Amino acid sequence: MAIAPDSYKSYLQAMVYESLTKLQISFERVNTDEAISMEDCIEINRKLDMKMVKTLFLCNSKKTEFYLFITTADKPFKAKDFSNALGISRVSFAPAERMEHILGVKVGAATVFGVLMDKENLVQVVFDKEVLLEEWYGCSDGTTTGYMKVKTKLIVNNFLTYAKHIPTIIEM
């Protein structure tokens, strides 16, 4: 099992490692230069020998319903397909300041772990079914410089249950 960083860059990052320790979920991690685009993640994938997921923070037009959509890195996002799969009206990317307020992360650091900050349960976690076929789940630790590798089933079954966010699974 890897160890947490010596110091934390944010409250969320501290919560991530505390939660994984409490749940006894093992992980591997790597520190990087700031990674924001999926292209930046290619090197991280190589270092951790896995595929990074793409995590998008979306909302409805009124900005009253929020979705954390987790899909494969190589799949283009089509709002219409996402909305149709969930049977909801069209979504768009949520404003950066809302993401920071609700999930405690800045652009480029969206992560499933952000739901630890969502105490009001405003966010619905939605997985692309293809992500669940992968043994390993690669994502940010809540920063744009720390990335982790965790067993996918432990994220879905253990972590999300602990964080009180039961995911919806869709096919895209």
Side-chain angles (χ1 to χ4, degrees):
M1 178 156 167
I3 53 170
D6 298 331
S7 63
Y8 299 116
K9 295 180 178 174
S10 69
Y11 179 65
L12 172 62
Q13 189 186 32
M15 285 178 71
V16 167
Y17 292 102
E18 284 166 20
S19 300
L20 293 176
T21 301
K22 188 176 189 176
L23 296 169
Q24 298 181 317
I25 293 177
S26 61
F27 58 89
E28 286 180 50
R29 63 180 291 276
V30 63
N31 287 321
T32 64
D33 291 333
E34 192 160 58
I36 292 174
S37 70
M38 290 315 296
E39 287 74 39
D40 296 334
C41 295
I42 294 168
E43 182 63 17
I44 298 164
N45 288 348
R46 195 183 58 69
K47 283 182 183 169
L48 289 174
D49 188 29
M50 49 103 217
K51 291 182 197 150
M52 189 75 66
V53 297
K54 178 163 45 181
T55 306
L56 306 174
F57 189 54
L58 308 166
C59 65
N60 64 355
S61 60
K62 294 179 185 145
K63 297 176 182 47
T64 54
E65 293 174 22
F66 298 91
Y67 305 89
L68 193 65
F69 179 48
I70 300 154
T71 186
T72 57
D74 53 359
K75 199 178 276 191
F77 174 69
K78 294 187 176 87
K80 184 179 177 198
D81 295 347
F82 177 84
S83 300
N84 289 345
L86 279 177
I88 57 172
S89 58
R90 185 75 62 100
V91 298
S92 59
F93 290 98
E97 60 277 2
R98 295 293 285 155
M99 182 167 79
E100 204 160 328
H101 175 73
I102 297 170
L103 300 177
V105 295
K106 64 182 193 169
V107 172
T111 176
V112 69
F113 297 121
V115 298
L116 288 167
M117 302 291 282
D118 181 27
K119 298 298 183 214
E120 296 170 50
N121 230 2
L122 300 172
V123 180
Q124 182 179 343
V125 177
V126 181
F127 276 94
D128 181 327
K129 189 175 163 191
E130 273 186 48
V131 171
L132 306 181
L133 302 175
E134 293 290 332
E135 179 182 7
W136 297 104
Y137 185 91
C139 67
S140 156
D141 67 358
T143 69
T144 54
T145 56
Y147 292 85
M148 323 179 73
K149 171 182 176 177
V150 184
K151 285 222 180 265
T152 303
K153 68 179 186 216
L154 294 177
I155 291 289
V156 176
N157 301 332
N158 302 39
F159 171 75
L160 284 170
T161 301
Y162 168 78
K164 297 178 176 53
H165 281 73
I166 304 307
T168 301
I169 295 153
I170 62 173
E171 221 166 318
M172 291 285 282

